[in-house]
Amino acid sequence: MGFINWVKQYFQDTGNSYKRGFKRLVFAAPFWVILISVVLIFVGFIRIGILKYNRADQNMAEYWEQGSNVTYRELSVYARGSRNAGETSPLMYINQDISLKKSDVNLIRTDLQTVVDSGLKNRKENGLDKEGRPVGWEDCYSSTIVANVAIFDEEKNTSSNINADTTLVAVGGNYKAFYPFVYMSGGFLPETCTDQNQIVLNDVLAWRFFKSNDVVGHKVVIWDQVFTVVGVVSEPDSKLDQSVGSNAPRAYIYFSAMEKYTSEPSSGEEGFELDITSECAIQCYQAILPEIVKGVAENDFKSAIPNYNGNNPQLYVVSNTGRYNVLRVWDDMVPLGETAGIMSNYELPYIEKAAWLTTQHIFVCMVMIVLGFVLFFIGIIMTVMHFRKIDKTELQHSSEQIEE
């Protein structure tokens, strides 16, 4: 019987110990609430910082502001087009309401240059330069096409069997001013085209072909044309970037080269009347403009785009500068799905997809931070109530002792 009583006593003592521990845990609830809130706030702010740091391509205007007393704003416009044979055919111009072409770029440049010259009154020479390029600001344009790229065997004067389906980014203007590439070797395509058959590879494609990044001077074949490699670049490789294809083989060529080697008749997109012209369409046009008064540059940019209608925009305009401040993120995300629905009408390069995905992640972090602050105040209130309860209990206990 002694042993049985010992066992009963042991389990009773153990049970009482667990009860006391559970009570302490319940009494410590304010502490855990505050701890969770601090973790949420801390993780949210740190994550937002990392996300913004990985999107240097959205902050190129800041580089222009260094050493200058002028504020700049980076802006982008995305247009639509039609492809006759999917991604392997160029994006073709449809009509003036939804598409952009090279002649539109000339119009935009002329209008924006007039605005820039009027804002910077101390400029000695006004207007575009002799080659029709911007003065005092920068722009670029691009479009994409998928093509088979193969190594060129100079000894046999033929392409080898080492090839890859590659996304080609056809560019014009000062493209490198908008994208902070890391150059593994060589450089980017010169803004002034002296050789239309030059190409820049990303490090993924260079390594796949040559097992090296030092491949300047090597040659590849696209559309039965020989292109000379002038540089190898490393592109953003964060997890967000990789999720939208940054680690895929990619190369950069001149827009004029794509026009020359992929000339083909275009067909109208359903629901739109086809323009009688047949030209390659511009997928994205970008500009970095001086902004004397906040918000004016964006209005000037939209006004310079041919047939842009702010009440019914058929082109998607993005102000890259300040894209990730609280109000912009909220405006882009609320109502939920509205901006994503608009973007679904456009072919977007992986950089813009990554930028939009970053907006979504920052919005989630903002929700975490707000939730953290709510929990923090709840924890403070619980703590105050807890100590008041303890004080009340001690006061009651003291009163009972005095009465005794």
Side-chain angles (χ1 to χ4, degrees):
M1 293 295 294
F3 175 77
I4 294 175
N5 290 333
W6 178 83
V7 171
K8 289 181 178 180
Q9 187 64 40
Y10 171 81
F11 280 106
Q12 185 177 357
D13 292 340
T14 302
N16 291 334
S17 176
Y18 280 119
K19 288 180 182 179
R20 288 193 297 272
F22 179 75
K23 288 181 179 180
R24 284 196 296 269
L25 182 62
V26 171
F27 288 141
F31 167 78
W32 290 108
V33 171
I34 292 174
L35 179 62
I36 292 172
S37 70
V38 171
V39 169
L40 286 173
I41 294 170
F42 179 78
V43 171
F45 277 115
I46 293 297
R47 180 60 177 160
I48 288 176
I50 293 173
L51 289 167
K52 288 184 176 181
Y53 177 80
N54 289 334
R55 290 268 63 84
D57 51 271
Q58 301 297 306
N59 300 312
M60 295 307 293
E62 295 180 2
Y63 291 93
W64 280 79
E65 293 174 6
Q66 295 177 4
S68 172
N69 58 356
V70 179
T71 301
Y72 286 85
R73 179 171 291 273
E74 179 183 354
L75 297 135
S76 304
V77 56
Y78 295 93
R80 286 179 276 180
S82 176
R83 297 186 190 271
N84 288 338
E87 293 182 334
T88 58
S89 59
L91 195 70
M92 303 302 292
Y93 182 86
I94 298 176
N95 63 49
Q96 61 185 6
D97 293 326
I98 66 172
S99 295
L100 291 174
K101 54 187 176 181
K102 282 177 68 173
S103 58
D104 292 329
V105 171
N106 297 331
L107 295 174
I108 294 172
R109 282 177 172 175
T110 301
D111 287 351
L112 290 179
Q113 188 66 57
T114 301
V115 173
V116 171
D117 291 338
S118 64
L120 303 177
K121 297 180 180 179
N122 59 343
R123 185 178 305 285
K124 295 181 180 180
E125 295 183 7
N126 294 335
L128 302 168
D129 68 11
K130 295 180 180 179
E131 296 180 356
R133 295 178 303 181
V135 178
W137 58 288
E138 292 294 340
D139 76 345
C140 73
Y141 54 92
S142 61
S143 190
T144 59
I145 184 173
V146 174
N148 183 268
V149 181
I151 298 176
F152 180 71
D153 190 330
E154 295 189 65
E155 292 183 1
K156 298 179 180 179
N157 198 33
T158 60
S159 60
S160 72
N161 59 357
I162 303 177
N163 53 64
D165 287 337
T166 302
T167 298
L168 301 177
V169 184
V171 306
N174 192 6
Y175 190 83
K176 65 180 180 181
F178 293 80
Y179 297 95
F181 295 122
V182 176
Y183 292 91
M184 312 302 290
S185 63
F188 201 74
L189 300 171
E191 186 176 355
T192 300
C193 177
T194 56
D195 181 359
Q196 201 166 237
N197 285 30
Q198 291 182 330
I199 189 171
V200 173
L201 312 180
N202 72 350
D203 54 346
V204 176
L205 186 59
W207 192 260
R208 179 176 297 185
F209 278 173
F210 306 106
K211 304 303 180 188
S212 171
N213 291 322
D214 188 13
V215 296
V216 173
H218 285 61
K219 300 182 185 299
V220 297
V221 176
I222 313 171
W223 305 308
D224 296 325
Q225 301 293 323
V226 178
F227 286 73
T228 302
V229 178
V230 296
V232 176
V233 297
S234 175
E235 299 166 318
D237 61 350
S238 68
K239 289 184 178 180
L240 285 185
D241 289 291
Q242 291 180 13
S243 70
V244 292
S246 70
N247 54 351
R250 194 168 11 262
Y252 299 84
I253 62 173
Y254 283 110
F255 193 91
S256 58
M258 181 185 70
E259 287 181 304
K260 180 178 179 180
Y261 301 128
T262 64
S263 178
E264 59 179 75
S266 59
S267 61
E269 185 176 293
E270 183 178 354
F272 295 101
E273 183 180 351
L274 179 66
D275 194 286
I276 58 173
T277 60
S278 178
E279 299 181 47
C280 288
I282 290 171
Q283 191 173 6
C284 176
Y285 174 80
Q286 298 169 272
I288 296 177
L289 296 169
E291 187 170 54
I292 309 302
V293 179
K294 187 175 181 180
V296 171
E298 184 173 352
N299 292 330
D300 293 336
F301 185 74
K302 291 178 179 178
S303 298
I305 300 172
N307 298 296
Y308 182 83
N309 183 352
N311 296 323
N312 182 29
Q314 297 293 311
L315 302 173
Y316 178 52
V317 176
V318 177
S319 176
N320 305 80
T321 304
R323 186 171 191 168
Y324 300 127
N325 64 43
V326 174
L327 295 179
R328 278 286 306 279
V329 171
W330 178 265
D331 186 56
D332 286 341
M333 291 299 300
V334 179
L336 294 175
E338 182 180 62
T339 303
I342 295 172
M343 294 173 65
S344 65
N345 296 319
Y346 301 86
E347 286 188 39
L348 301 174
Y350 88 91
I351 285 286
E352 178 58 27
K353 291 179 181 178
W356 170 241
L357 197 57
T358 299
T359 297
Q360 294 174 300
H361 280 246
I362 289 178
F363 180 74
V364 172
C365 292
M366 286 169 50
V367 173
M368 286 175 54
I369 292 170
V370 171
L371 178 61
F373 276 113
V374 171
L375 288 177
F376 181 81
F377 286 117
I378 290 175
I380 294 296
I381 293 172
M382 292 174 65
T383 301
V384 171
M385 293 178 64
H386 176 66
F387 279 107
R388 282 185 176 179
K389 182 178 180 181
I390 291 177
D391 292 341
K392 185 176 180 181
T393 302
E394 290 179 350
L395 180 61
Q396 184 178 356
H397 182 67
S398 300
S399 299
E400 290 175 354
Q401 287 181 337
I402 292 174
E403 290 177 359
E404 290 178 355

